[in-house]
Amino acid sequence: MVFPDFESELERLRLAEKPTLLLTREPSTPPASVALLSGSFDPMTVAHAAMAEAASRLVDLVLLVYSARTLPKEGSAPPALLTEGDRLQVLAGFCESHPKIAVGLCSHGLLAHQVAAARGRFPTASLFLVVGSDKVLQLLDPKWYDDRDSALESLFGEAQMLYAERAGEEGLTATALSRPENVRWRDRFIRLEVPANVASISSRSVRSLLAAGRDVADVVVPEARPLIPSVD
């Protein structure tokens, strides 16, 4: 096991009231810029890897953020493919060959709370969130808020967005940011150089391939391949 105390650390984080961020590897020098790529990483895909690598070319430190508290998703949640320990093992293995990328464990799942946790951990650093274009469109959608503008002012006041366009969503972020209600935040968004077809690969799509009896070796990181259950 890569993290012998991960269970106790996660349990402590689940009980934390204040957003808290732990690093599994401390940077050698305080980073001037930090990007957060949050996910369930069940499993870590080539999209996660490509987005993290693209972000690492723009900032000093990229954190693969695993939340101790999972957020509910629309519809019924599928059973986990990998255990928490396996997921963290994969993340740690990936980071071993990427010195500017590390694993972060966070007490909270909401992006705003993760940014707050990162601000507490890196008080002077410029902060960034690494997301897909689908998440950008969700963030800008007023249906998720009681007071959208106030929430977004707070979020974008602390963090810029590094986003990768997913296949079928090319140009949608730019269009959304050109609308009068969003144009004030346009300079807070930076597009990552990630192929749209790669950015589209998700943990959900890995499950779909497995359910269809398809090989997933090309869509998950090498560190995850030995841990993926075989198809029944």
Side-chain angles (χ1 to χ4, degrees), residues 39-79:
S40 66
F41 303 107
D42 185 28
M44 185 178 181
T45 69
V46 294
H48 293 128
M51 291 166 68
E53 290 166 350
S56 73
R57 293 190 283 271
L58 302 176
V59 303
D60 294 333
L61 176 65
V62 177
L63 293 179
L64 303 176
V65 179
Y66 182 81
S67 172
R69 293 182 175 100
T70 57
L71 294 174
K73 295 187 177 182
E74 293 185 73
S76 57

Side-chain angles (χ1 to χ4, degrees), residues 15-202:
L15 298 174
E17 295 184 8
K18 179 181 178 182
T20 304
L21 179 66
L22 301 179
L23 274 62
T24 58
R25 184 181 73 210
E26 293 293 329
S28 56
T29 58
S33 52
V34 178
L36 312 177
L37 196 172
S38 179
S40 66
F41 303 107
D42 185 28
M44 185 178 181
T45 69
V46 294
H48 293 128
M51 291 166 68
E53 290 166 350
S56 73
R57 293 190 283 271
L58 302 176
V59 303
D60 294 333
L61 176 65
V62 177
L63 293 179
L64 303 176
V65 179
Y66 182 81
S67 172
R69 293 182 175 100
T70 57
L71 294 174
K73 295 187 177 182
E74 293 185 73
S76 57
L81 193 62
L82 301 181
T83 67
E84 284 190 319
D86 284 347
R87 293 182 228 180
L88 294 177
Q89 179 178 321
V90 169
L91 295 181
F94 175 81
C95 292
E96 284 180 2
S97 58
H98 295 79
K100 292 182 67 176
I101 306 175
V103 183
L105 304 179
C106 192
S107 58
H108 289 64
L110 288 175
L111 293 182
H113 290 154
Q114 292 181 356
V115 168
R119 176 55 68 212
R121 181 65 180 73
F122 303 102
T124 62
S126 298
L127 298 181
F128 298 81
L129 287 169
V130 183
V131 297
S133 53
D134 57 329
K135 188 63 178 181
V136 172
L137 299 174
Q138 183 186 62
L139 281 172
L140 296 175
D141 190 337
K143 77 176 184 180
W144 300 104
Y145 305 91
D146 292 326
D147 184 347
R148 186 199 77 138
D149 287 4
S150 177
L152 292 183
E153 285 286 1
S154 177
L155 178 63
F156 298 149
E158 284 285 4
Q160 290 179 261
M161 310 296 292
L162 303 176
Y163 73 95
E165 288 194 330
R166 294 182 183 272
E169 296 179 353
E170 294 90 344
L172 293 184
T173 293
T175 298
L177 291 172
S178 68
R179 294 177 184 138
E181 66 272 22
N182 298 325
V183 70
R184 75 185 97 166
W185 297 307
R186 186 161 50 188
D187 65 350
R188 305 299 287 169
F189 287 76
I190 300 169
R191 182 181 170 186
L192 292 173
E193 294 299 322
V194 176
N197 63 315
V198 173
S200 298
I201 298 168
S202 65

